[in-house]
Amino acid sequence: MATKESTNGSNGSNGTNGECKITRPPPTPSPLRFSKFFQANLRILVTGGAGFIGSHLVDKLMENEKNEVIVADNYFTGSKDNLKKWIGHPRFELIRHDVTEPLLVEVDQIYHLACPASPIFYKYNPVKTIKTNVMGTMNMLGLAKRVGARILLTSTSEVYGDPLEHPQTEEYWGNVNPIGVRSCYDEGKRVAETLMFDYHRQHGIEIRIARIFNTYGPRMNIDDGRVVSNFIAQALRDEPLTVQKPGTQTRSFCYVADMVDGLIKLMEGPSTGPINLGNPGEFTMLELAENVKELINPEVELKMVENTPDDPRQRKPNITKAKEILNWEPKITLREGLPLMEEDFRQRLGIPISAMKDTTRRWVYRIIIISLNRHRGGSI
Ligand SMILES: NC(=O)c1ccc[n+]([C@@H]2O[C@H](COP(=O)([O-])OP(=O)(O)OC[C@H]3O[C@@H](n4cnc5c(N)ncnc54)[C@H](O)[C@@H]3O)[C@@H](O)[C@H]2O)c1
Ligand SMILES: O=C(O)[C@H]1O[C@H](OP(=O)(O)OP(=O)(O)OC[C@H]2O[C@@H](n3ccc(=O)[nH]c3=O)[C@H](O)[C@@H]2O)[C@H](O)[C@@H](O)[C@@H]1O
C-alpha cells in the first residue's frame, strides 16, 4: 500500500543541500481508495513492462495477490513472449501503447521503464528516443498528477556520462556530451529526472528515481548489442568475442533479480532518490570476456574491434544510499549470474551442451541455484 510521501524530498540528492521545498500538497488519490468497501487491489502500471527488466518486475509484482498490473508497451524492443504466462490472468492487462501519446488509466503506482536501453536501439532512432524520454515522461507525470499515483522513473548511470568521479555518487552532476550520438539517451534521461523533480516541487507528485547501472540476465534480447548478451551469444555460437577497444574500459554488472528487488524497495520506501542501483563489482571488458570464455566456452577466441563515440571509460556505482535508505544491496555475483543467463540463451537458441560439459555444468548450475536460494530465501 502506498505510504505518505516524505514531503521534504529527503534523502534525495537533487544537486543542492538535499532540501526540496514542496510548493503544493500531493494530489489526493481517487475517492474510490477511501471508500469503506474498497476491495480493489493496488493498481500498478508498468510502462515498458514487455522488456527485459520490466517483464521480471511484472513477475515479482504479480507474486503479490493484492496487486493488479497493467503493462503499456509499444514492442519496439520488448515482446509479448516475455509476459506470456500472465496474458489472460484476471489481475493482469497488456496494452499496446506508445508513451509519447497520453494514456488514461486509473492506477495507484507507475513504474515508468518505457525506453529502449540498448545503445544500438536507442541510437537507431535518436529523435524517437529523446521523445520517449521527454514526452513519455511528461505523459506519465501528467497521468500521475491526474490520478494521484506515485511514479518511479528508471533513470540510468548514463546521466553521469564519461564520469570524472569514480565510483559515482548521486551528488555527482556528470560529464555528458550534449550533442553526441548517445545524447538522445543520456540527456533524455537527465531531462526526465528534471521533469520528475519539477512535478514533485510544483505539483507535489510522489516521485522515485532509480539510477540503474548495467543489468543483465535471462530475457535480454539475444542480438541487442549489449556486451553481456553479445559475449554469451558469441560464446554459444563459437564466434569470437568482440571486445571493443581499448578493452580496459570498465562496467559493473547487476543481475536482474537483484535489480527488481531494488526497484520495488525504492517504490515502497520513503526516499524520492535519485538512488544508484547496481553491483559495485567492477570489471574491464577484457576481464568480462575472460569470465565468459572460462564459464561457457574455453575454446572461443577474443577479437578486438572498433568502439563507438562517447563510450564511457569507467563506471561503478557508489551504493551507500541504497544500503542505508533501502536496506538493499545486490547478492548475485557475475560468476553466479552468467550461467543462469547462459541457460536461458541455450534454450532460446536451441543449442545443446556437450555430454561431458553437461555433467559438470549441471553440478555447477545446481550449486549456484542452491547457494542463490540460500542467499535470497526464495526461488530464483
Ligand atoms: N538494462 C540496463 O542495463 C539498464 C541500465 C540503465 C537503465 N535502464 C533503464 O531501464 C528501463 C528498462 O530497460 P531494459 O533493459 O528492460 O530495456 P528493454 O529495451 O528491454 O525494455 C524497454 C521496454 O520499453 C518499451 N518501449 C520503448 N519505447 C517505448 C515507447 N515509446 N512506448 C512504450 N513502450 C516503449 C520496449 O518495447 C521495451 O519493452 C529503461 O528505461 C532503461 O533506460 C536499463
Ligand atoms: O548501465 C547503464 O546505465 C547503461 O548500460 C548500458 O550501456 P553501455 O554500458 O554502453 O552498454 P553496452 O553496450 O553493453 O557496452 C558496455 C561496454 O562493453 C563494450 N562492448 C559492447 C559490446 C560488445 O560486443 N563488446 C564490447 O566490448 C562497449 O564498448 C562498452 O564499453 C545500457 O545499454 C544502457 O541502457 C544503460 O543505461
Side-chain angles (χ1 to χ4, degrees):
M1 178 65 80
T3 53
K4 184 88 186 71
E5 165 71 351
S6 61
T7 52
N8 66 357
S10 60
N11 308 317
S13 60
N14 44 19
T16 57
N17 56 7
E19 281 308 303
C20 178
K21 192 174 169 316
I22 300 297
T23 50
R24 287 191 195 163
T28 46
S30 140
L32 174 70
R33 297 206 67 73
F34 302 106
S35 73
K36 201 161 44 175
F37 303 105
F38 181 66
Q39 299 301 318
N41 297 320
L42 192 71
R43 300 161 299 179
I44 303 171
L45 171 65
V46 181
T47 72
F52 160 52
I53 296 179
S55 59
H56 286 279
L57 173 63
V58 170
D59 289 350
K60 193 73 179 173
L61 292 172
M62 288 297 289
E63 283 176 11
N64 180 342
E65 300 204 344
K66 286 303 285 173
N67 288 343
E68 274 176 28
V69 175
I70 301 169
V71 167
D73 202 303
N74 70 352
Y75 305 118
F76 176 49
T77 51
S79 155
K80 282 183 186 174
D81 214 42
N82 289 335
L83 296 166
K84 59 178 180 256
K85 69 177 168 185
W86 300 116
I87 293 171
H89 189 287
R91 289 190 289 111
F92 180 77
E93 285 175 65
L94 178 56
I95 309 170
R96 180 191 291 266
H97 178 81
D98 192 310
V99 293
T100 54
E101 298 295 334
L103 178 64
L104 304 178
V105 285
E106 294 297 323
V107 290
D108 309 292
Q109 290 182 347
I110 301 169
Y111 285 88
H112 179 37
L113 280 73
C115 176
S118 161
I120 285 185
F121 281 85
Y122 67 62
K123 290 190 272 191
Y124 168 76
N125 184 344
V127 173
K128 180 58 184 294
T129 298
I130 198 153
K131 279 183 177 176
T132 296
N133 281 314
V134 179
M135 296 166 65
T137 303
M138 282 190 76
N139 285 330
M140 290 307 109
L141 282 162
L143 173 62
K145 179 166 177 274
R146 191 174 64 77
V147 300
R150 177 179 294 183
I151 178 170
L152 180 146
L153 168 73
T154 52
S155 184
T156 165
S157 67
E158 301 269 6
V159 301
Y160 302 122
D162 190 7
L164 305 179
E165 173 184 293
H166 191 71
Q168 294 80 57
T169 64
E170 293 86 348
E171 283 66 33
Y172 178 50
W173 287 8
N175 175 39
V176 176
N177 178 354
I179 55 172
V181 293
R182 297 172 77 105
S183 306
C184 59
Y185 183 80
D186 301 0
E187 295 288 29
K189 288 288 189 178
R190 287 162 67 98
V191 172
E193 289 195 15
T194 305
L195 285 166
M196 291 283 282
F197 265 97
D198 286 343
Y199 268 76
H200 177 63
R201 285 184 285 254
Q202 194 168 329
H203 301 297
I205 306 298
E206 296 187 50
I207 65 166
R208 299 290 183 272
I209 296 179
R211 287 183 180 160
I212 297 180
F213 283 67
N214 296 63
T215 301
Y216 70 99
R219 291 191 207 143
M220 282 189 92
N221 278 328
I222 288 173
D223 295 309
D224 85 354
R226 285 186 271 190
V227 67
V228 179
S229 43
N230 265 8
F231 283 2
I232 290 183
Q234 288 162 349
L236 291 175
R237 291 165 168 159
D238 263 330
E239 295 165 1
L241 305 189
T242 52
V243 179
Q244 291 177 11
K245 292 173 186 169
T248 52
Q249 71 273 34
T250 68
R251 293 293 188 274
S252 314
F253 298 100
C254 185
Y255 187 69
V256 65
D258 283 327
M259 183 53 64
V260 166
D261 289 347
L263 291 174
I264 293 173
K265 283 191 170 180
L266 176 59
M267 176 66 95
E268 299 302 336
S271 171
T272 60
I275 291 187
N276 288 339
L277 293 179
N279 190 321
E282 186 182 13
F283 294 82
T284 67
M285 292 310 100
L286 282 166
E287 287 164 343
L288 173 66
E290 290 301 337
N291 269 283
V292 170
K293 180 181 168 77
E294 183 199 329
L295 287 167
I296 297 178
N297 183 350
E299 285 76 52
V300 79
E301 289 171 13
L302 273 56
K303 185 171 78 172
M304 297 305 292
V305 297
E306 290 309 314
N307 204 330
T308 54
D310 294 350
D311 183 57
R313 282 157 302 177
Q314 58 185 2
R315 188 183 284 160
K316 171 179 176 158
N318 176 313
I319 60 169
T320 307
K321 280 189 188 290
K323 285 180 182 174
E324 290 177 356
I325 299 168
L326 305 181
N327 185 30
W328 176 88
E329 60 183 313
K331 297 185 171 61
I332 300 170
T333 65
L334 189 69
R335 292 183 69 82
E336 291 167 333
L338 285 177
L340 303 176
M341 191 166 163
E342 176 199 358
E343 188 72 17
D344 170 65
F345 272 36
R346 279 189 183 283
Q347 282 169 13
R348 290 160 62 193
L349 289 168
I351 299 179
I353 45 180
S354 63
M356 182 279 291
K357 199 168 180 328
D358 189 15
T359 2
T360 27
R361 249 185 103 271
R362 285 181 187 282
W363 276 109
V364 168
Y365 189 63
R366 200 169 290 134
I367 290 162
I368 289 171
I369 293 296
I370 291 165
S371 68
L372 293 186
N373 278 324
R374 197 176 303 127
H375 259 337
R376 301 168 51 85
S379 60
I380 286 287

